[in-house]
Amino acid sequence: MLRKPHALLTAAALLALSAATPAAADTPPPPARTAACAYTPAVPADRFKGIPVFDPVKAARPYSATLRTSQGAITFRAQTDKAPCTTYSFKFLAQRAYFDRTHCHRLTTARIYVLQCGDPTGTGSGGPGYSFPDENLTGAAYPAGTVAMANAGPDTNGSQFFFVWQDTKLPPAYTPFGKVTAGLDVLRKIAAGGEDDQNGPGDGFPALPVDIKRVHIRVG
């Protein structure tokens, strides 16, 4: 099965990528922030669940997400205060079973240390049928346990995201939107299993299959 590294740039490309800090990350007043949370129709539209309509009241509600995978459960706390557009989209898709019965299609074990998921096609090129702007990039860092959006360039967020399983240096170009609270050991077990190097040394499909059975959202 083809697994293109479309949505998270290769290590070489990442080193050449300049930092991006869009206006949405500069803590604008509520009206401007709401306006920035616009979801724009985009292709592809795989397993289409509709396009969310941002609700600032619902978006502000904190929540945790638990991914029950074939390798164990991974839970993260969504940063609804820092990345409301992103966390609202993730919850919208999760509550509509978008991620259920999908698999994490990319593991990197050299220079960058992430497990990438969220593509129902498993190719690295799939998306939910809409895109939305970057957020929370000012001062963004990617220590172990970070959950962030994969993308194909500025403001191209869709459904693909990644877990950082070991401290990683990346340019502030990938919206951080969550912190792992349980399951970092699961991520490290997956990483220890290695990958198939399909995209180059240290970059490919995880040798331990990571099938997402379901994603449970707990509000509060």
Side-chain angles (χ1 to χ4, degrees), residues 20-73:
T21 52
D26 293 334
T27 317
R33 180 179 291 245
T34 300
C37 282
Y39 304 98
T40 305
V43 293
D46 302 298
R47 195 186 281 188
F48 187 63
K49 300 294 183 179
I51 296 177
V53 176
F54 185 73
D55 182 328
V57 175
K58 292 181 179 179
R61 296 172 184 164
Y63 71 86
S64 293
T66 298
L67 287 74
R68 303 204 175 278
T69 82
S70 54
Q71 299 300 329

Side-chain angles (χ1 to χ4, degrees), residues 198-214:
Q198 179 164 320
N199 303 323
D203 186 352
F205 193 79
L208 293 177
V210 188
D211 301 313
I212 299 174
K213 300 174 181 179
R214 67 185 297 263

